[in-house]
Every structure is written in structure tokens, then in C-alpha cells.
Amino acid sequence: MRIGVVAPSTRLLPETAERVRAIAAEHHPEVDIHFHPQCFLSHNHFAGEDKVRAEAFVEIANDPGYDALWFARGGYGSCRIAEAVIARLGPAARDKSYLGYSDAGFLLSGLYRAGFAGLAHGPMPQDARRPGGEAAVRRALDWLIRRASDALEPGLGAEPNAAFNITVLSHLLGTTLEPPLEGHVLLLEDVSEHLYRTDRAMFHVAASPSVRRVAGIRLGRLSEVPENDPDFGESGEEMVRFWCERAAIPFLGQADIGHDSANRIVPYGAA
Amino acid sequence: MRIGVVAPSTRLLPETAERVRAIAAEHHPEVDIHFHPQCFLSHNHFAGEDKVRAEAFVEIANDPGYDALWFARGGYGSCRIAEAVIARLGPAARDKSYLGYSDAGFLLSGLYRAGFAGLAHGPMPQDARRPGGEAAVRRALDWLIRRASDALEPGLGAEPNAAFNITVLSHLLGTTLEPPLEGHVLLLEDVSEHLYRTDRAMFHVAASPSVRRVAGIRLGRLSEVPENDPDFGESGEEMVRFWCERAAIPFLGQADIGHDSANRIVPYGAA
């Protein structure tokens, strides 16, 4: 079992990779995790220039020697390379698992649209830095290595699923990365956004013809929400229920996903 | 000449209305500015509940006794009422000027799509609070009262124009408020957004099929930009040029608009 880690967004620190290697060595000594050197590059906001990040992604994805491509972390930057990357992927890229969330959603979405199987929303190496992060890394490896059912978000049913950061989903609707969502249960989460911003993003998301065809929406955690001035006066769940009701989208309750170490895994498509 | 002021987003303070009345009394004693009482209401983030804000907007817009509807200020909230408001507007609403920017862009966009003339992107009463704000208020009144040509953005040419806050435009693309932009020069500005956020919004905007049919993009000011960590490494203009080039949209230079008292007026449609 070989896992290749690339960073299409923001760079990883070498000590974070060391921490992940140590967790893997203890719990999954059979796995070989290769952190592509690109993960540690730095160019402005990004883990290397667009071309360099794209090249690393394509190299790992197209290499049949890797069983999985693991997104190093979120941040920002994958939308800048997603279309170019996906256009270059060959057959070996389709025979592989992909795991990430947050900004990685741009690429996961485009890959899902391109018909890739084996995609999932879940923890990344950067999560090793969180309190309780070891559990997140183990959960990710449990899923990547043996599709452990206890790593999955516990409410996944018979319908196909898709999970997104609300801000990321809002920014890819209408682009060539927009995922096919008809009949899906859509699990949403966000981090570090004022509630008025999430409300605005939900206006946009709930107005999308594509989103209006989902089977329903489940809400994960909205975490590290900056103080709204004045107080927003509604909880995140009340807000999402409001937009679901306006768009006649069933609200299906909470989901165990978010920017934290409890973040459970949501495979794209049928569970 | 009667101007009605409503606040479809965030509330206005009474002293700001007083300041605007004083500026108008000195320079335009012929104008009657009515601040609808709704402007001063407060409900959570908003200048009154959705229904109350919508009602005030419809009341002024549909009243043939008003020559213009002036948006009190930006903030957040007009997207929540825009569709319901526009569906209720009658003939008197079409025979009227509308002036605002920032969050007001949701309503201006929907009105433009509905075929309204007399729409413009420009200063609002709240701008009286800015340094040099008196000039902004006078400019707005000069345009509302006598269509003063020196109030206009100086680079407007023969093509139709439209002006938007980048974040607002990104959030209305794909919704029923999306404006017809084919052949337009699109003037953009933003405030208080990290450069990585503006870059992400420009990915979304430049990917929109509607935006890809514009005659070109001109960039106004990106102001009060919070520090990017790490440094973004590109100026706002370099960033917008990058996205224009990727989308084969002509970049037509700078524009004299922004969240400041120098903000010049851009009528929607042919100048």
C-alpha cells in the first residue's frame, strides 16, 4: 500500500509530515507514505507555483505505483490548477483513492464530475497538528488502507453523498468543476466565516439549479466563527434550515464533519 | 424632485441621515429626501426583518411620487429579499432612478435583468460618514437630480457598462439575479477582503459563461485589504489580469470606483 501526498493549495511543514509518518509507523507499519517534495515548497500563498503544484499532482495521480493520493492540507490554491490537472489524468489516475476536504473540494469536485470513483471528503496530514489530530490521521489511514466502516460519517444512507466546504462549493458552482449533485445527500461544513458570510454563501448555493436537485442537505460543523457585529441572531442550523426551506430542499439534520479532528469520512457517490 | 431612501441590507444611523439632509439642504435645496423609517430599524444583522425591508423597498419603488430610490448603504442582506421585491414592482418602479453599490448590487443586478433603466452604481447616504464624504453625497445627488456628467466614472465609453463588488457578483452568478453582461464593460471593486479571497472570487467570476461574454473588465479599487499571511505576492491588478488572461477576457485598465468617497458613478447599460 503506497500513498502519495501532494499539496495543490498551501504548503505543509516538514515536521507535520514527520508526525504523520510516526502515527502511520505505529498503527499501519505496512503503509508507505511518500510526501512529494512539492508539499514543502513555498511560492507566495501557495506550495509552489501553479505549474509545480499541478505537475506534482499529475505525477502521483498518473503513477500506477500509488494506491492513493492524499491531499496534504487545505488553505487556498487548488482552483487555480484543477482544470489543467484533470485534463492530464490517465487511466492509472482513475484506479486510485483521493482523500481531502476544504480547499481540496475544488479538485475532488472536478474529479467527481469527470467520473472518478474512490473520492472522499475526510482528514488530511495537516490535521495531525490539531488537538486530537492523531485520531484524525488514523481515521484517514483506516479508510485509505482498508475502507474501515467505522471511519465513515455515521449517517450515510443508501443515497449517493457529496461533502463540501460551503465557501468552496459556492465558488465552484457554474464552473467546469461543478459536481453532478442530482439525488445526492449534500453534507456541508465551514470554518472561520462570519455567519453573515455563510448566509450569503447559502443564498448562492441554495439558488443553484444543481443544488436544488439534491435529495437533501445535512449540516456539519461551522467552527471558529468570528463574532458577528451585530449578533447574527440565528444559529448556523437555523440559517441553513431557512435557505433549505426557501429552495424546497429537505433539511436532513446534522452531519459529523468539520474542520476538526472528529471529521468523519464521506465517500463521494454511493456509500 | 423627491428621493426615497430605503435600507434593504444593514441599518443607517439617524445622525447619518441628518448629515445627508444638511449636505442636500446646502447644495440642492430643491430636493426632498425622505428617509423611510425602515432605514433605522434593527433586526439581528439587518435593518428590520426581511418582510419589513422588502415592504419599504416596494413602497418607495412603486410610489409614482418618488423620482428616485437611493440605497441607504451596503452591509449585508439585500439578497434575502431581492427576488420577492422584484416580483412585486409595478410600472411606477420602472420610471425611477436607483443608486447604490456594494451589497445593493444584488438588487441592482436583479432589476437590470428585469429590464429596468435608470440604475447606477455609486455613492450612498452612508458614505457621508467617510473622510471627504460630502463630495460623495454631492456627486450622488448631482447624478440623481440632473444626471451631471462630471459625476460619472471618467472612462465610460460607447459600450454598455455594469459595475459590481467582486464578492457580491460572485454570489449572484447562477441565481435568478444574474445580470445580462454580454458586450458590457464590467467594472469591479472590493473592500475588506484578503487577496486570496479575491483571487478565489475571480476564479469563480471569470469562469462564468455570462462574464466570459463581456467586452472587457476594468478594475476599481481593492481597499482595506487585510494582511495576507503569507504575502500574496501579486498586486490586485496583477491578479485580475491573470484571471482575465485565463478566461480570454480583455483587461481594459483601472476604474475610478471603490469603497471610498472618490467612488464615481457608473450607470448600468449604455452611458
Side-chain angles (χ1 to χ4, degrees):
Chain A
M1 175 75 190
R2 287 186 77 206
I3 298 172
V5 182
V6 293
S9 312
T10 306
R11 80 175 174 136
L12 200 68
L13 292 177
E15 57 261 39
T16 309
E18 276 315 305
R19 176 92 183 100
V20 171
R21 278 197 200 95
I23 296 168
E26 187 178 349
H27 300 284
H28 291 286
E30 74 281 19
V31 72
D32 169 21
I33 304 182
H34 170 62
F35 287 86
H36 193 291
Q38 172 271 321
C39 292
F40 312 112
L41 296 179
S42 184
H43 173 73
N44 297 337
H45 196 93
F46 311 110
E49 295 183 10
D50 288 353
K51 280 185 184 171
V52 174
R53 302 197 312 285
E55 194 60 40
F57 193 101
V58 170
E59 182 187 325
I60 298 290
N62 279 345
D63 185 341
Y66 289 98
D67 304 289
L69 183 153
W70 198 10
F71 291 84
R73 62 172 294 187
Y76 169 66
S78 67
C79 70
R80 295 172 62 111
I81 63 170
E83 285 181 86
V85 160
I86 293 167
R88 293 175 58 195
L89 299 182
R94 291 181 180 265
D95 189 26
K96 203 174 248 87
S97 301
Y98 295 81
L99 179 63
Y101 69 110
S102 196
D103 192 70
F106 285 107
L107 268 159
L108 289 169
S109 184
L111 292 168
Y112 191 54
R113 180 180 177 129
F116 280 58
L119 309 169
H121 182 278
M124 300 181 287
Q126 177 78 359
D127 288 310
R129 301 173 66 90
R130 298 187 186 279
E134 178 173 344
V137 170
R138 288 181 61 180
R139 188 180 315 118
L141 293 171
D142 284 349
W143 184 81
L144 285 170
I145 295 167
R146 57 183 181 87
R147 292 290 191 270
S149 58
D150 61 358
L152 297 178
E153 203 284 332
L156 304 181
E159 299 89 355
N161 301 284
F164 281 97
N165 176 275
I166 294 171
T167 302
V168 168
L169 178 60
S170 173
H171 282 80
L172 59 76
L173 291 171
T175 77
T176 59
L177 304 176
E178 180 173 306
L181 291 175
E182 185 166 359
H184 285 59
V185 175
L186 177 59
L187 292 81
L188 299 174
E189 62 84 42
D190 217 324
V191 65
S192 304
E193 298 290 344
H194 290 85
L195 285 179
Y196 87 87
R197 286 181 180 264
T198 302
D199 197 66
R200 189 170 58 190
M202 282 304 303
F203 158 77
H204 186 237
V205 165
S208 156
S210 174
V211 173
R212 289 200 171 181
R213 291 192 288 267
V214 300
I217 284 177
R218 294 174 59 203
L219 180 61
R221 287 173 286 281
L222 306 178
S223 54
E224 298 171 48
V225 178
E227 190 185 347
N228 212 80
D229 179 23
D231 188 77
F232 195 75
E234 284 178 24
S235 70
E237 182 174 324
E238 285 168 334
M239 173 204 300
V240 173
R241 282 181 181 274
F242 169 82
W243 288 109
C244 282
E245 193 176 321
R246 291 249 307 228
I249 296 169
F251 179 78
L252 303 175
Q254 298 186 345
D256 195 5
I257 63 169
H259 272 67
D260 50 51
S261 56
N263 187 25
R264 302 281 280 273
I265 289 168
V266 181
Y268 282 61
Chain B
M1 176 74 189
R2 288 186 76 205
I3 298 171
V5 183
V6 293
S9 311
T10 305
R11 78 174 175 138
L12 201 67
L13 292 176
E15 58 261 38
T16 308
E18 275 314 306
R19 176 93 184 99
V20 171
R21 278 198 201 94
I23 295 168
E26 187 180 347
H27 300 285
H28 291 285
E30 75 281 18
V31 72
D32 170 21
I33 305 183
H34 171 61
F35 287 85
H36 193 291
Q38 173 271 321
C39 291
F40 312 113
L41 296 179
S42 183
H43 174 74
N44 298 337
H45 197 94
F46 312 109
E49 294 182 10
D50 289 352
K51 280 185 184 172
V52 174
R53 302 198 313 285
E55 194 61 39
F57 193 101
V58 170
E59 183 187 323
I60 298 291
N62 279 345
D63 185 341
Y66 289 99
D67 304 289
L69 184 153
W70 199 11
F71 290 84
R73 61 173 294 189
Y76 170 66
S78 67
C79 70
R80 294 172 64 111
I81 63 169
E83 286 181 85
V85 160
I86 293 167
R88 292 174 60 196
L89 299 183
R94 290 181 181 265
D95 189 27
K96 204 174 246 89
S97 301
Y98 294 81
L99 180 62
Y101 69 110
S102 195
D103 192 71
F106 284 107
L107 267 159
L108 290 170
S109 184
L111 292 168
Y112 191 55
R113 179 180 177 129
F116 279 57
L119 309 168
H121 182 277
M124 301 182 286
Q126 176 78 357
D127 289 309
R129 301 173 65 90
R130 297 188 187 278
E134 179 174 343
V137 170
R138 288 180 61 179
R139 188 179 315 118
L141 293 172
D142 285 349
W143 184 80
L144 285 170
I145 295 167
R146 57 183 181 87
R147 292 291 190 270
S149 59
D150 62 356
L152 297 178
E153 204 283 333
L156 304 181
E159 299 89 355
N161 301 283
F164 281 98
N165 175 275
I166 294 170
T167 302
V168 168
L169 178 60
S170 171
H171 282 80
L172 59 76
L173 292 171
T175 77
T176 59
L177 304 176
E178 181 173 305
L181 291 174
E182 185 166 358
H184 286 58
V185 175
L186 177 61
L187 292 81
L188 299 174
E189 61 85 42
D190 217 325
V191 64
S192 303
E193 298 290 344
H194 290 85
L195 286 178
Y196 86 86
R197 285 182 180 264
T198 302
D199 197 66
R200 189 169 57 189
M202 283 304 303
F203 159 76
H204 185 237
V205 165
S208 155
S210 175
V211 174
R212 290 199 171 182
R213 291 192 288 266
V214 300
I217 284 177
R218 294 175 58 202
L219 180 62
R221 288 174 286 282
L222 306 177
S223 54
E224 299 172 47
V225 178
E227 189 185 347
N228 212 80
D229 178 24
D231 188 78
F232 195 75
E234 284 178 23
S235 70
E237 182 173 324
E238 286 168 334
M239 173 204 300
V240 172
R241 282 181 181 274
F242 168 82
W243 288 108
C244 282
E245 193 176 321
R246 291 249 307 226
I249 296 169
F251 179 78
L252 303 175
Q254 298 185 345
D256 195 5
I257 63 169
H259 272 67
D260 50 51
S261 57
N263 187 25
R264 301 282 279 273
I265 289 169
V266 181
Y268 282 59

mmCIF file with all atom_site columns, all heavy atoms in Angstrom, chain B residues 215-232:
data_model
loop_
_atom_site.group_PDB
_atom_site.id
_atom_site.type_symbol
_atom_site.label_atom_id
_atom_site.label_alt_id
_atom_site.label_comp_id
_atom_site.label_asym_id
_atom_site.label_entity_id
_atom_site.label_seq_id
_atom_site.pdbx_PDB_ins_code
_atom_site.Cartn_x
_atom_site.Cartn_y
_atom_site.Cartn_z
_atom_site.occupancy
_atom_site.B_iso_or_equiv
_atom_site.pdbx_formal_charge
_atom_site.auth_seq_id
_atom_site.auth_comp_id
_atom_site.auth_asym_id
_atom_site.auth_atom_id
_atom_site.pdbx_PDB_model_num
ATOM 1   N N   . ALA B 1 215 ? -17.350 42.596 -22.830 1.00 0.00 ? 215 ALA B N   1
ATOM 2   C CA  . ALA B 1 215 ? -16.399 43.238 -23.743 1.00 0.00 ? 215 ALA B CA  1
ATOM 3   C C   . ALA B 1 215 ? -15.046 43.415 -23.072 1.00 0.00 ? 215 ALA B C   1
ATOM 4   O O   . ALA B 1 215 ? -14.011 43.516 -23.743 1.00 0.00 ? 215 ALA B O   1
ATOM 5   C CB  . ALA B 1 215 ? -16.948 44.590 -24.185 1.00 0.00 ? 215 ALA B CB  1
ATOM 6   N N   . GLY B 1 216 ? -15.043 43.463 -21.757 1.00 0.00 ? 216 GLY B N   1
ATOM 7   C CA  . GLY B 1 216 ? -13.798 43.607 -21.028 1.00 0.00 ? 216 GLY B CA  1
ATOM 8   C C   . GLY B 1 216 ? -14.062 43.929 -19.572 1.00 0.00 ? 216 GLY B C   1
ATOM 9   O O   . GLY B 1 216 ? -15.207 44.183 -19.180 1.00 0.00 ? 216 GLY B O   1
ATOM 10  N N   . ILE B 1 217 ? -12.996 43.883 -18.785 1.00 0.00 ? 217 ILE B N   1
ATOM 11  C CA  . ILE B 1 217 ? -13.085 44.172 -17.347 1.00 0.00 ? 217 ILE B CA  1
ATOM 12  C C   . ILE B 1 217 ? -12.171 45.348 -17.018 1.00 0.00 ? 217 ILE B C   1
ATOM 13  O O   . ILE B 1 217 ? -11.042 45.428 -17.501 1.00 0.00 ? 217 ILE B O   1
ATOM 14  C CB  . ILE B 1 217 ? -12.705 42.915 -16.524 1.00 0.00 ? 217 ILE B CB  1
ATOM 15  C CG1 . ILE B 1 217 ? -13.866 41.912 -16.540 1.00 0.00 ? 217 ILE B CG1 1
ATOM 16  C CG2 . ILE B 1 217 ? -12.322 43.275 -15.093 1.00 0.00 ? 217 ILE B CG2 1
ATOM 17  C CD1 . ILE B 1 217 ? -13.597 40.602 -15.823 1.00 0.00 ? 217 ILE B CD1 1
ATOM 18  N N   . ARG B 1 218 ? -12.685 46.263 -16.207 1.00 0.00 ? 218 ARG B N   1
ATOM 19  C CA  . ARG B 1 218 ? -11.859 47.341 -15.654 1.00 0.00 ? 218 ARG B CA  1
ATOM 20  C C   . ARG B 1 218 ? -11.871 47.202 -14.133 1.00 0.00 ? 218 ARG B C   1
ATOM 21  O O   . ARG B 1 218 ? -12.888 46.893 -13.533 1.00 0.00 ? 218 ARG B O   1
ATOM 22  C CB  . ARG B 1 218 ? -12.406 48.710 -16.064 1.00 0.00 ? 218 ARG B CB  1
ATOM 23  C CG  . ARG B 1 218 ? -12.319 48.968 -17.571 1.00 0.00 ? 218 ARG B CG  1
ATOM 24  C CD  . ARG B 1 218 ? -12.995 50.284 -17.933 1.00 0.00 ? 218 ARG B CD  1
ATOM 25  N NE  . ARG B 1 218 ? -12.401 51.382 -17.224 1.00 0.00 ? 218 ARG B NE  1
ATOM 26  C CZ  . ARG B 1 218 ? -13.018 52.555 -16.994 1.00 0.00 ? 218 ARG B CZ  1
ATOM 27  N NH1 . ARG B 1 218 ? -14.256 52.738 -17.422 1.00 0.00 ? 218 ARG B NH1 1
ATOM 28  N NH2 . ARG B 1 218 ? -12.413 53.515 -16.329 1.00 0.00 ? 218 ARG B NH2 1
ATOM 29  N N   . LEU B 1 219 ? -10.726 47.456 -13.527 1.00 0.00 ? 219 LEU B N   1
ATOM 30  C CA  . LEU B 1 219 ? -10.610 47.240 -12.082 1.00 0.00 ? 219 LEU B CA  1
ATOM 31  C C   . LEU B 1 219 ? -10.600 48.543 -11.313 1.00 0.00 ? 219 LEU B C   1
ATOM 32  O O   . LEU B 1 219 ? -9.723  49.390 -11.519 1.00 0.00 ? 219 LEU B O   1
ATOM 33  C CB  . LEU B 1 219 ? -9.327  46.444 -11.774 1.00 0.00 ? 219 LEU B CB  1
ATOM 34  C CG  . LEU B 1 219 ? -9.083  46.156 -10.288 1.00 0.00 ? 219 LEU B CG  1
ATOM 35  C CD1 . LEU B 1 219 ? -10.197 45.294 -9.704  1.00 0.00 ? 219 LEU B CD1 1
ATOM 36  C CD2 . LEU B 1 219 ? -7.729  45.496 -10.084 1.00 0.00 ? 219 LEU B CD2 1
ATOM 37  N N   . GLY B 1 220 ? -11.559 48.688 -10.425 1.00 0.00 ? 220 GLY B N   1
ATOM 38  C CA  . GLY B 1 220 ? -11.570 49.793 -9.464  1.00 0.00 ? 220 GLY B CA  1
ATOM 39  C C   . GLY B 1 220 ? -10.671 49.458 -8.285  1.00 0.00 ? 220 GLY B C   1
ATOM 40  O O   . GLY B 1 220 ? -9.777  48.624 -8.379  1.00 0.00 ? 220 GLY B O   1
ATOM 41  N N   . ARG B 1 221 ? -10.942 50.086 -7.163  1.00 0.00 ? 221 ARG B N   1
ATOM 42  C CA  . ARG B 1 221 ? -10.047 49.904 -6.019  1.00 0.00 ? 221 ARG B CA  1
ATOM 43  C C   . ARG B 1 221 ? -10.420 48.680 -5.178  1.00 0.00 ? 221 ARG B C   1
ATOM 44  O O   . ARG B 1 221 ? -11.583 48.379 -4.968  1.00 0.00 ? 221 ARG B O   1
ATOM 45  C CB  . ARG B 1 221 ? -10.072 51.169 -5.168  1.00 0.00 ? 221 ARG B CB  1
ATOM 46  C CG  . ARG B 1 221 ? -9.336  52.325 -5.864  1.00 0.00 ? 221 ARG B CG  1
ATOM 47  C CD  . ARG B 1 221 ? -9.459  53.625 -5.140  1.00 0.00 ? 221 ARG B CD  1
ATOM 48  N NE  . ARG B 1 221 ? -10.762 54.253 -5.260  1.00 0.00 ? 221 ARG B NE  1
ATOM 49  C CZ  . ARG B 1 221 ? -11.186 54.941 -6.336  1.00 0.00 ? 221 ARG B CZ  1
ATOM 50  N NH1 . ARG B 1 221 ? -10.405 55.078 -7.399  1.00 0.00 ? 221 ARG B NH1 1
ATOM 51  N NH2 . ARG B 1 221 ? -12.382 55.492 -6.346  1.00 0.00 ? 221 ARG B NH2 1
ATOM 52  N N   . LEU B 1 222 ? -9.363  47.961 -4.757  1.00 0.00 ? 222 LEU B N   1
ATOM 53  C CA  . LEU B 1 222 ? -9.488  46.942 -3.720  1.00 0.00 ? 222 LEU B CA  1
ATOM 54  C C   . LEU B 1 222 ? -8.947  47.613 -2.467  1.00 0.00 ? 222 LEU B C   1
ATOM 55  O O   . LEU B 1 222 ? -7.742  47.843 -2.366  1.00 0.00 ? 222 LEU B O   1
ATOM 56  C CB  . LEU B 1 222 ? -8.665  45.702 -4.068  1.00 0.00 ? 222 LEU B CB  1
ATOM 57  C CG  . LEU B 1 222 ? -8.937  45.060 -5.440  1.00 0.00 ? 222 LEU B CG  1
ATOM 58  C CD1 . LEU B 1 222 ? -7.993  43.882 -5.679  1.00 0.00 ? 222 LEU B CD1 1
ATOM 59  C CD2 . LEU B 1 222 ? -10.385 44.607 -5.548  1.00 0.00 ? 222 LEU B CD2 1
ATOM 60  N N   . SER B 1 223 ? -9.831  47.958 -1.536  1.00 0.00 ? 223 SER B N   1
ATOM 61  C CA  . SER B 1 223 ? -9.386  48.770 -0.398  1.00 0.00 ? 223 SER B CA  1
ATOM 62  C C   . SER B 1 223 ? -9.523  48.027 0.920   1.00 0.00 ? 223 SER B C   1
ATOM 63  O O   . SER B 1 223 ? -10.212 47.000 1.009   1.00 0.00 ? 223 SER B O   1
ATOM 64  C CB  . SER B 1 223 ? -10.158 50.076 -0.371  1.00 0.00 ? 223 SER B CB  1
ATOM 65  O OG  . SER B 1 223 ? -11.541 49.841 -0.373  1.00 0.00 ? 223 SER B OG  1
ATOM 66  N N   . GLU B 1 224 ? -8.841  48.554 1.932   1.00 0.00 ? 224 GLU B N   1
ATOM 67  C CA  . GLU B 1 224 ? -8.857  47.966 3.287   1.00 0.00 ? 224 GLU B CA  1
ATOM 68  C C   . GLU B 1 224 ? -8.603  46.468 3.235   1.00 0.00 ? 224 GLU B C   1
ATOM 69  O O   . GLU B 1 224 ? -9.286  45.684 3.902   1.00 0.00 ? 224 GLU B O   1
ATOM 70  C CB  . GLU B 1 224 ? -10.186 48.278 3.995   1.00 0.00 ? 224 GLU B CB  1
ATOM 71  C CG  . GLU B 1 224 ? -10.435 49.762 4.182   1.00 0.00 ? 224 GLU B CG  1
ATOM 72  C CD  . GLU B 1 224 ? -11.847 50.078 4.703   1.00 0.00 ? 224 GLU B CD  1
ATOM 73  O OE1 . GLU B 1 224 ? -12.269 49.416 5.660   1.00 0.00 ? 224 GLU B OE1 1
ATOM 74  O OE2 . GLU B 1 224 ? -12.505 50.966 4.125   1.00 0.00 ? 224 GLU B OE2 1
ATOM 75  N N   . VAL B 1 225 ? -7.629  46.080 2.412   1.00 0.00 ? 225 VAL B N   1
ATOM 76  C CA  . VAL B 1 225 ? -7.304  44.655 2.240   1.00 0.00 ? 225 VAL B CA  1
ATOM 77  C C   . VAL B 1 225 ? -6.557  44.158 3.475   1.00 0.00 ? 225 VAL B C   1
ATOM 78  O O   . VAL B 1 225 ? -5.492  44.683 3.794   1.00 0.00 ? 225 VAL B O   1
ATOM 79  C CB  . VAL B 1 225 ? -6.435  44.452 0.976   1.00 0.00 ? 225 VAL B CB  1
ATOM 80  C CG1 . VAL B 1 225 ? -6.042  42.990 0.819   1.00 0.00 ? 225 VAL B CG1 1
ATOM 81  C CG2 . VAL B 1 225 ? -7.182  44.945 -0.262  1.00 0.00 ? 225 VAL B CG2 1
ATOM 82  N N   . PRO B 1 226 ? -7.089  43.165 4.208   1.00 0.00 ? 226 PRO B N   1
ATOM 83  C CA  . PRO B 1 226 ? -6.351  42.648 5.374   1.00 0.00 ? 226 PRO B CA  1
ATOM 84  C C   . PRO B 1 226 ? -5.050  41.983 4.926   1.00 0.00 ? 226 PRO B C   1
ATOM 85  O O   . PRO B 1 226 ? -4.937  41.519 3.783   1.00 0.00 ? 226 PRO B O   1
ATOM 86  C CB  . PRO B 1 226 ? -7.314  41.602 5.974   1.00 0.00 ? 226 PRO B CB  1
ATOM 87  C CG  . PRO B 1 226 ? -8.657  41.875 5.365   1.00 0.00 ? 226 PRO B CG  1
ATOM 88  C CD  . PRO B 1 226 ? -8.380  42.468 4.012   1.00 0.00 ? 226 PRO B CD  1
ATOM 89  N N   . GLU B 1 227 ? -4.110  41.944 5.830   1.00 0.00 ? 227 GLU B N   1
ATOM 90  C CA  . GLU B 1 227 ? -2.803  41.365 5.503   1.00 0.00 ? 227 GLU B CA  1
ATOM 91  C C   . GLU B 1 227 ? -2.959  39.888 5.132   1.00 0.00 ? 227 GLU B C   1
ATOM 92  O O   . GLU B 1 227 ? -3.640  39.136 5.816   1.00 0.00 ? 227 GLU B O   1
ATOM 93  C CB  . GLU B 1 227 ? -1.865  41.496 6.712   1.00 0.00 ? 227 GLU B CB  1
ATOM 94  C CG  . GLU B 1 227 ? -0.427  41.125 6.376   1.00 0.00 ? 227 GLU B CG  1
ATOM 95  C CD  . GLU B 1 227 ? 0.470   41.146 7.614   1.00 0.00 ? 227 GLU B CD  1
ATOM 96  O OE1 . GLU B 1 227 ? 0.051   41.668 8.670   1.00 0.00 ? 227 GLU B OE1 1
ATOM 97  O OE2 . GLU B 1 227 ? 1.580   40.597 7.506   1.00 0.00 ? 227 GLU B OE2 1
ATOM 98  N N   . ASN B 1 228 ? -2.340  39.512 4.033   1.00 0.00 ? 228 ASN B N   1
ATOM 99  C CA  . ASN B 1 228 ? -2.350  38.107 3.627   1.00 0.00 ? 228 ASN B CA  1
ATOM 100 C C   . ASN B 1 228 ? -1.155  37.416 4.280   1.00 0.00 ? 228 ASN B C   1
ATOM 101 O O   . ASN B 1 228 ? -0.044  37.932 4.224   1.00 0.00 ? 228 ASN B O   1
ATOM 102 C CB  . ASN B 1 228 ? -2.227  38.014 2.097   1.00 0.00 ? 228 ASN B CB  1
ATOM 103 C CG  . ASN B 1 228 ? -2.960  36.830 1.523   1.00 0.00 ? 228 ASN B CG  1
ATOM 104 O OD1 . ASN B 1 228 ? -4.175  36.882 1.359   1.00 0.00 ? 228 ASN B OD1 1
ATOM 105 N ND2 . ASN B 1 228 ? -2.231  35.763 1.222   1.00 0.00 ? 228 ASN B ND2 1
ATOM 106 N N   . ASP B 1 229 ? -1.397  36.271 4.900   1.00 0.00 ? 229 ASP B N   1
ATOM 107 C CA  . ASP B 1 229 ? -0.307  35.543 5.548   1.00 0.00 ? 229 ASP B CA  1
ATOM 108 C C   . ASP B 1 229 ? -0.230  34.153 4.953   1.00 0.00 ? 229 ASP B C   1
ATOM 109 O O   . ASP B 1 229 ? -1.112  33.337 5.198   1.00 0.00 ? 229 ASP B O   1
ATOM 110 C CB  . ASP B 1 229 ? -0.561  35.465 7.053   1.00 0.00 ? 229 ASP B CB  1
ATOM 111 C CG  . ASP B 1 229 ? 0.532   34.680 7.768   1.00 0.00 ? 229 ASP B CG  1
ATOM 112 O OD1 . ASP B 1 229 ? 1.655   34.595 7.220   1.00 0.00 ? 229 ASP B OD1 1
ATOM 113 O OD2 . ASP B 1 229 ? 0.251   34.154 8.863   1.00 0.00 ? 229 ASP B OD2 1
ATOM 114 N N   . PRO B 1 230 ? 0.785   33.835 4.138   1.00 0.00 ? 230 PRO B N   1
ATOM 115 C CA  . PRO B 1 230 ? 1.918   34.684 3.770   1.00 0.00 ? 230 PRO B CA  1
ATOM 116 C C   . PRO B 1 230 ? 1.528   35.736 2.734   1.00 0.00 ? 230 PRO B C   1
ATOM 117 O O   . PRO B 1 230 ? 0.404   35.687 2.225   1.00 0.00 ? 230 PRO B O   1
ATOM 118 C CB  . PRO B 1 230 ? 2.901   33.677 3.155   1.00 0.00 ? 230 PRO B CB  1
ATOM 119 C CG  . PRO B 1 230 ? 2.018   32.622 2.566   1.00 0.00 ? 230 PRO B CG  1
ATOM 120 C CD  . PRO B 1 230 ? 0.854   32.511 3.502   1.00 0.00 ? 230 PRO B CD  1
ATOM 121 N N   . ASP B 1 231 ? 2.457   36.661 2.472   1.00 0.00 ? 231 ASP B N   1
ATOM 122 C CA  . ASP B 1 231 ? 2.214   37.702 1.482   1.00 0.00 ? 231 ASP B CA  1
ATOM 123 C C   . ASP B 1 231 ? 1.712   37.087 0.182   1.00 0.00 ? 231 ASP B C   1
ATOM 124 O O   . ASP B 1 231 ? 2.221   36.055 -0.258  1.00 0.00 ? 231 ASP B O   1
ATOM 125 C CB  . ASP B 1 231 ? 3.529   38.462 1.234   1.00 0.00 ? 231 ASP B CB  1
ATOM 126 C CG  . ASP B 1 231 ? 3.304   39.682 0.359   1.00 0.00 ? 231 ASP B CG  1
ATOM 127 O OD1 . ASP B 1 231 ? 2.825   40.705 0.879   1.00 0.00 ? 231 ASP B OD1 1
ATOM 128 O OD2 . ASP B 1 231 ? 3.588   39.617 -0.855  1.00 0.00 ? 231 ASP B OD2 1
ATOM 129 N N   . PHE B 1 232 ? 0.694   37.718 -0.433  1.00 0.00 ? 232 PHE B N   1
ATOM 130 C CA  . PHE B 1 232 ? 0.114   37.110 -1.632  1.00 0.00 ? 232 PHE B CA  1
ATOM 131 C C   . PHE B 1 232 ? 1.067   37.186 -2.829  1.00 0.00 ? 232 PHE B C   1
ATOM 132 O O   . PHE B 1 232 ? 0.969   36.382 -3.761  1.00 0.00 ? 232 PHE B O   1
ATOM 133 C CB  . PHE B 1 232 ? -1.231  37.752 -1.965  1.00 0.00 ? 232 PHE B CB  1
ATOM 134 C CG  . PHE B 1 232 ? -2.020  36.925 -2.943  1.00 0.00 ? 232 PHE B CG  1
ATOM 135 C CD1 . PHE B 1 232 ? -2.646  35.758 -2.532  1.00 0.00 ? 232 PHE B CD1 1
ATOM 136 C CD2 . PHE B 1 232 ? -2.092  37.288 -4.275  1.00 0.00 ? 232 PHE B CD2 1
ATOM 137 C CE1 . PHE B 1 232 ? -3.330  34.969 -3.430  1.00 0.00 ? 232 PHE B CE1 1
ATOM 138 C CE2 . PHE B 1 232 ? -2.776  36.497 -5.184  1.00 0.00 ? 232 PHE B CE2 1
ATOM 139 C CZ  . PHE B 1 232 ? -3.400  35.335 -4.762  1.00 0.00 ? 232 PHE B CZ  1
#
